[in-house]
């Protein structure tokens, strides 16, 4: 199985890449900075350098052709203000959808966010814009009739070591989850193509990751 990760050098993307590689899968992905490519290569992962904000769908299609699944885990992370968020978290997904169609890659997994993250807190306009762009991206993906999409909404991300236990369901209360556990869930979902066309929220919890995913097959 081959997975292409847009955002492969990111906190979640990098962890996912290494899990899939250790599992024996083929992994590729998009990263921006040369040193990120060196670090990935040191772990046996040959990824592709490029900037999502300036890539056209044809160029991205060329990169992802032959992949079984495309994971979109990129995010501007506040860089470039609202315009940066729109360009990466919003327009970047549009580019990925167009490229996936063109390359014949039918599975697309989007790492999104709880729309109700931090309700009740005084958040910045930038954060409100980020939530709106992520939601619009979800709406665009859900409207595709030709893609086997899957949306995973992690709660607030932590760099603590993963517990290997999570809660994964269509609706959860927004709390926290480690990037390790998000990557573990994504790896399990990548290997479970029967789960598609679902929006799943993800927090820390009590259920071992494989059980949390296999439970969805029985619903
Ligand atoms: N932070 C949270 O609490 C939280 C909660 C829920 C959901 N999320 C979402 O979860 C996803 C993954 O989070 P994360 O912690 O892995 O984020 P991250 O570490 O910031 O990773 C995002 C990756 O996207 C890449 N990227 C940004 N602009 C790019 C561009 N123009 N071209 C190519 N790559 C670009 C970044 O590249 P560089 O490394 O070069 O900057 C980075 O590697 C994000 O979409 C985020 O919105 C975050």
């Amino acid at each position: 199985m081959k997975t292409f990760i847009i955002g492969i050098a990111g906190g979640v993307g990098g962890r996912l890449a290494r899990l899939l590689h250790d599992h024996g899968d083929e992994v590729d992905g998009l990263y921006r900075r040369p040193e990120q490519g060196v670090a990935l290569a040191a772990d046996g992962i040959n990824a592709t350098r490029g900037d999502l904000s300036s890539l056209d769908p044809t160029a991205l299609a060329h990169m992802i052709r032959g992949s079984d699944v495309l994971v979109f885990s990129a995010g501007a992370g506040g860089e470039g203000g609202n315009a940066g968020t729109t360009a990466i978290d919003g327009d970047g997904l549009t580019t990925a959808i167009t490229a996936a169609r063109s390359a014949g890659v039918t599975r697309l997994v989007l790492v999104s966010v709880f729309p109700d993250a931090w309700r009740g807190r005084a958040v910045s306009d930038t954060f409100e814009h980020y939530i709106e762009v992520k939601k619009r991206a979800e709406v665009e993906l859900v409207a595709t009739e030709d893609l086997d999409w899957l949306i995973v909404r992690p709660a607030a991300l932590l760099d603590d070591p993963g517990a290997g236990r999570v809660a994964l369901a269509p609706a959860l209360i927004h709390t926290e989850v480690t990037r390790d556990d998000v990557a573990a869930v994504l790896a399990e979902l990548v290997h479970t193509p029967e789960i598609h066309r679902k929006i799943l929220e993800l927090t820390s919890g009590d259920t071992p990751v494989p059980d949390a995913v296999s439970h969805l097959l029985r619903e």
Side-chain angles (χ1 to χ4, degrees), residues 10-12 32 36 51-52 74-75 88 112 130 134 154 157 179:
V12 169
R32 281 195 293 186
Q36 294 172 328
D51 190 322
L52 186 59
I88 303 306
S112 188
Y130 160 69
K134 285 288 201 201
L157 296 173
R179 288 180 171 85

Side-chain angles (χ1 to χ4, degrees), residues 34-148:
E35 64 272 22
Q36 294 172 328
V38 171
L40 287 161
D43 288 334
I45 299 163
N46 291 312
T48 307
R49 191 166 167 219
D51 190 322
L52 186 59
S53 61
S54 55
L55 269 185
D56 65 36
T58 307
L60 185 59
H62 182 70
M63 294 175 183
I64 68 175
R65 201 174 301 279
S67 303
D68 298 292
V69 54
L70 178 61
V71 177
F72 188 100
S73 188
E79 185 187 312
N82 287 355
T85 300
T86 301
I88 303 306
D89 301 71
D91 298 343
L93 181 75
T94 305
T95 300
I97 289 172
T98 309
R101 286 184 169 133
S102 163
V105 178
T106 54
R107 290 182 69 204
L108 201 166
V109 180
L110 172 65
V111 181
S112 188
V113 67
F114 275 61
D116 51 329
W118 305 135
R119 291 305 89 182
R121 288 197 184 186
V123 297
S124 65
D125 290 347
T126 311
F127 187 82
E128 288 292 357
H129 179 75
Y130 160 69
I131 294 290
E132 184 186 335
V133 168
K134 285 288 201 201
K135 185 61 187 280
R136 286 186 186 280
E138 290 189 359
V139 170
E140 181 179 356
L141 185 57
V142 166
T144 62
E145 292 181 357
D146 50 344
L147 296 180
D148 271 340

